[in-house]
Amino acid sequence: MKSKFVLAQLDQKGWPEENLANAEKAVAEAVERYQPDMMIFPECFMSHFPTGTDRAVCLGTAQTLDGPFVTGMRKLAADNGIWIIFGMNEKVEDPEDDRNYNCTVVIDDKGEIVSTYRKTHLYDAFGYKESDDNKPGDKFFEPIDTPFGKIGLFVCYEVRFPEVARYQRSKGADIIIMPTAWVPGPLKSSQFRTLISARAIENTVYMAACDQVGENGMGESVVVDPMGVVVAGAGEVETLICAEIDTDRIEKVRAKLPAYKDRRPELYEI
């Protein structure tokens, strides 16, 4: 079975209203050009400000799942009959903690919220400390059945933890979605592509990584198939990337590369 996934590699400046308008333009263009089954937007797509922005401004854009941004994205999905996945700055209802959740939302083609995921492994690396402003989630994404195959998901920095992807595969994922805001820097491009390819090959899954561009991301969004072959990719500018996902390809690869089946987990206790 074949389906079309479109990755919306976009620049954004922080304000939810502006980003919702950009999403509307991206969806309209994608529908006209590609007729996608699913669209994927980057990590923190709802609101993500450049480094150095006042903390109160960043945290102040947080919304709940029934707020105007998610409501707008649900309408986009329903009006166009497509699935949409995007990252948002979710408000934490805790008077003792002023941080937010780095949340990813999955919406079906009827505009219903199918699942959400609060990022568990926060980016406290390379001199950055995401946990200052974000509260970690306490459970992994549970893969979901869709018309296009079973979808798993994790976010950005979590690609560096093979256990996260392995959990998705252990729960039946055929395709793993990775919204990201991968910060550019020395060796970051090479690591990005290497890690995504490794997660695809070792789990025999499709990996679809949608990145931001501009000050908050380097771009280079990519879709990699279960054998590590790049299906579609982008450079450093705003663009839409259309990739064909073929679930028959997954079964063929797993038949000749049964690495997951050949595991010996009794030896892996750490």
Side-chain angles (χ1 to χ4, degrees):
M1 180 186 65
K2 296 179 180 179
S3 55
K4 288 182 184 178
F5 284 27
V6 170
L7 281 59
Q9 178 172 286
L10 300 177
D11 188 6
Q12 54 91 22
K13 303 301 182 184
W15 301 108
E17 299 83 2
E18 180 181 350
N19 295 320
L20 181 57
N22 287 342
E24 291 169 351
K25 293 175 186 176
V27 169
E29 180 180 348
V31 169
E32 180 179 358
R33 292 175 59 187
Y34 302 118
Q35 299 80 51
D37 299 293
M38 175 176 285
M39 282 197 69
I40 304 164
F41 290 84
E43 175 187 16
C44 301
F45 176 70
M46 186 192 84
S47 59
H48 188 35
F49 291 86
T51 301
T53 303
D54 184 80
R55 184 172 185 269
V57 171
C58 298
L59 296 181
T61 62
Q63 296 182 14
T64 60
L65 293 172
D66 59 358
F69 189 86
V70 175
T71 299
M73 295 296 277
R74 291 179 62 184
K75 185 175 188 302
L76 263 183
D79 287 350
N80 292 280
I82 60 174
W83 287 59
I84 294 179
I85 297 176
F86 63 93
M88 68 170 294
N89 186 21
E90 184 191 3
K91 187 175 182 61
V92 175
E93 300 293 349
D94 182 354
E96 302 300 319
D97 194 338
D98 71 346
R99 297 176 298 171
N100 301 319
Y101 288 117
N102 182 335
C103 180
T104 300
V105 182
V106 182
I107 300 171
D108 69 12
D109 57 353
K110 302 295 191 296
E112 298 298 322
I113 297 175
V114 177
S115 187
T116 62
Y117 171 64
R118 293 165 173 170
K119 186 177 180 182
T120 56
H121 294 65
L122 300 182
Y123 183 57
D124 289 358
F126 294 100
Y128 191 84
K129 198 165 178 63
E130 186 180 7
S131 62
D132 283 348
D133 296 331
N134 288 277
K135 181 177 181 177
D138 58 7
K139 58 184 178 181
F140 287 151
F141 183 84
E142 292 294 329
I144 56 174
D145 290 311
T146 77
F148 330 113
K150 197 154 193 173
I151 300 289
L153 184 147
F154 57 75
V155 177
C156 198
Y157 183 54
E158 295 178 317
V159 74
R160 295 183 181 274
F161 302 87
E163 300 88 348
V164 181
R166 184 64 95 195
Y167 181 86
Q168 301 302 305
R169 176 69 173 89
S170 75
K171 297 296 183 176
D174 300 310
I175 305 154
I176 297 178
I177 308 300
M178 178 182 147
T180 181
W182 197 269
V183 180
L187 302 180
K188 296 293 292 296
S189 177
S190 173
Q191 291 177 9
F192 184 74
R193 183 63 62 85
T194 298
L195 289 162
I196 291 166
S197 297
R199 300 294 86 86
I201 294 166
E202 70 194 6
N203 293 295
T204 52
V205 296
Y206 278 92
M207 283 286 304
C210 183
D211 196 11
Q212 294 186 17
V213 293
E215 293 186 68
N216 294 323
M218 70 178 186
E220 301 185 32
S221 299
V222 67
V223 178
V224 178
D225 85 357
M227 194 60 86
V229 177
V230 174
V231 176
E236 78 288 3
V237 298
E238 285 193 313
T239 189
L240 300 178
I241 307 104
C242 183
E244 183 177 84
I245 303 294
D246 184 356
T247 53
D248 292 339
R249 169 72 167 162
I250 300 170
E251 295 309 312
K252 289 175 182 177
V253 169
R254 290 177 181 176
K256 62 184 174 182
L257 178 60
Y260 182 81
K261 183 174 69 69
D262 290 344
R263 293 173 307 123
R264 294 189 60 195
E266 73 275 10
L267 302 179
Y268 308 152
E269 296 294 335
I270 298 175

